[in-house]
Amino acid sequence: MTNEQHTAPVEEKPARKKIILSGIQPTGIFTLGNYIGAVRNWGQLQEDYDCYYFVADLHSLTIRQNPADLRKQTLEAFALLLAAGIDPEKSLVFIQSHVHNHAELGWILMCNSMFGELSRMTQFKDKSAKHADNVNAGLFTYPSLMAADILLYQADLVPVGQDQTQHLEFTRNVATRFNGLYGDVFRLPEAYLPKEGAKIMSLQDPARKMSKSDPNPKARISILDDEASILRKFRSAVTDSEAHVCYREDKPGISNLMTIYSVVTGKSYEAIEDEFDGRGYGDFKTAVGEAVAEELRPIRENFARLMADKKYLEDVYKMGAERAQSISNRTLTKVRKKVGLLAKPF
């Protein structure tokens, strides 16, 4: 025996997983651009992060909606998230309006948002021009509610497209202002930018982003399009007269198709150029269409199955709402105390 003292090894606590949060509006079926730029990545992030995903139905009210259509589209958007690979056992999935904390924190943050910074938001200017007959206050204060969506859950990372970075910067500014006034309450979120495929362009006008609101149905691929429609749309995609498959700035149509093919198949641009060396655009467009159709097939099939089981969808979004309310209560309770509101009696 020795007099040496032996101490039990100290167990290290597992590192906290970073929180990723993102929402998508229920304003129509997602396009291939939404899928590649956002939804596809969401499913892949579940193993490495704590993921919070929601249907942003409150945000859609800045534009007048048909009530029956909005209810239908909200349920469809929720089902699409699940169909695209979001697992409610791994990720928090919910509907924004089911968690009243979003609206309450949104108001508090509006009172900490400056008129000048809101008036400079590009999206307000764009939507005001498009909907001149309905330039409402919600359209103006939209970024404050978006900030509440993010800050309620103390998100570390927010997947954003290049056209949404201004909203994230606004969120960080408001959080910094609030923290400076009341002490450290909010974590400052960072942007999570996918390495590739973050921006998919229109098939008919490759200078513009693919959009579900594009009046030309040939310009976009819906993730619920059948195989025949997908092939037809890719075969009619705008390209150029060079008939040489390569990625170049002066070939926006072909470069867009190469981006799509690369993301879906995992092939590099160099490998794609080699694969189609000496072959015409017809072969390339068909190959892209077939690859996309195969990628989207399970989503279409899962969506049909989920929409046929409304009871299951209701159970999942109820469970998500309860979890989201519980998690977000932690932040909102602290915020209410900091700004001087009396504790709730129930």
Side-chain angles (χ1 to χ4, degrees):
M1 296 289 292
T2 68
N3 291 326
E4 293 180 5
Q5 292 184 333
H6 296 280
T7 56
V10 177
E11 291 187 14
E12 291 188 9
K13 295 174 70 174
R16 178 184 71 85
K17 281 187 176 182
K18 288 191 174 182
I19 296 170
I20 281 189
L21 177 139
S22 194
I24 191 159
Q25 286 197 43
T27 50
I29 302 301
F30 307 153
T31 67
L32 179 66
N34 299 134
Y35 174 69
I36 288 177
V39 180
R40 184 175 187 264
N41 299 311
W42 291 1
Q44 296 170 348
L45 295 172
Q46 294 176 122
E47 304 304 323
D48 299 320
Y49 298 92
D50 280 335
C51 297
Y52 300 175
Y53 301 124
F54 65 96
V55 179
D57 54 340
L58 290 176
H59 285 296
S60 67
L61 297 178
T62 59
I63 298 171
R64 293 193 183 98
Q65 304 286 340
N66 177 289
D69 289 345
L70 179 58
R71 282 189 287 271
K72 177 176 178 288
Q73 290 170 355
T74 298
L75 188 64
E76 288 177 343
F78 188 80
L80 275 173
L81 289 177
L82 304 185
I86 306 303
D87 183 348
E89 296 297 322
K90 296 179 179 178
S91 297
L92 173 59
V93 197
F94 62 98
I95 295 170
Q96 182 189 31
S97 66
H98 292 176
V99 184
H100 59 74
N101 290 348
H102 288 252
E104 185 171 346
L105 182 60
W107 171 253
I108 293 172
L109 294 184
M110 282 180 214
C111 297
N112 287 274
S113 303
M114 299 298 105
F115 183 89
E117 62 189 349
L118 286 169
S119 64
R120 289 191 293 272
M121 299 301 288
T122 302
Q123 192 172 63
F124 173 70
K125 296 175 183 176
D126 292 346
K127 286 196 173 183
S128 296
K130 288 181 183 177
H131 304 280
D133 61 333
N134 184 28
V135 184
N136 57 71
L139 194 63
F140 187 70
T141 59
Y142 176 105
S144 300
L145 180 57
M146 182 178 284
D149 298 333
I150 297 166
L151 299 175
L152 262 178
Y153 300 93
Q154 304 291 350
D156 296 282
L157 299 167
V158 181
V160 293
Q162 295 291 347
D163 57 343
Q164 296 172 312
T165 54
Q166 188 185 33
H167 281 110
L168 185 60
E169 192 57 37
F170 171 87
T171 298
R172 288 174 56 86
N173 289 342
V174 171
T176 299
R177 180 178 302 125
F178 192 95
N179 288 348
L181 289 169
Y182 299 106
D184 288 338
V185 176
F186 298 124
R187 181 176 294 132
L188 299 186
E190 303 282 349
Y192 178 88
L193 296 171
K195 292 181 181 178
E196 59 181 344
K199 197 169 186 180
I200 301 301
M201 312 308 286
S202 162
L203 297 183
Q204 294 298 309
D205 181 2
R208 293 169 50 215
K209 187 177 176 181
M210 183 179 287
S211 170
K212 52 191 170 186
S213 62
D214 196 309
N216 184 355
K218 292 183 179 180
R220 63 183 183 274
I221 301 292
S222 161
I223 66 171
L224 296 181
D225 279 344
D226 58 37
E227 183 173 359
S229 298
I230 292 171
L231 289 172
R232 186 168 60 252
K233 289 179 182 180
F234 273 110
R235 286 171 181 152
S236 68
V238 170
T239 51
D240 55 63
S241 59
E242 190 177 327
H244 177 52
V245 176
C246 66
Y247 193 95
R248 287 204 321 255
E249 189 175 333
D250 63 341
K251 294 168 69 69
I254 285 296
S255 295
N256 185 41
L257 295 182
M258 287 182 70
T259 296
I260 293 169
Y261 193 59
S262 174
V263 171
V264 170
T265 64
K267 297 178 181 179
S268 67
Y269 293 144
E270 292 79 7
I272 295 170
E273 290 177 13
D274 290 342
E275 181 181 354
F276 292 95
D277 185 29
R279 299 164 64 183
Y281 285 168
D283 284 352
F284 178 52
K285 290 181 179 182
T286 297
V288 178
E290 289 175 345
V292 168
E294 192 57 34
E295 172 82 8
L296 298 181
R297 184 190 311 280
I299 298 174
R300 188 169 63 248
E301 293 173 351
N302 288 339
F303 177 78
R305 175 180 53 80
L306 288 164
M307 289 302 294
D309 191 351
K310 300 292 198 303
K311 178 62 168 61
Y312 172 76
L313 288 175
E314 184 177 334
D315 288 344
V316 174
Y317 69 61
K318 279 184 176 179
M319 178 181 70
E322 289 169 1
R323 267 194 72 205
Q325 188 73 28
S326 175
I327 293 169
S328 60
N329 272 342
R330 301 169 199 163
T331 298
L332 187 59
T333 298
K334 186 182 293 186
V335 169
R336 287 176 56 87
K337 183 177 180 181
K338 291 286 189 181
V339 299
L341 299 178
L342 279 175
K344 292 182 179 180
F346 51 83

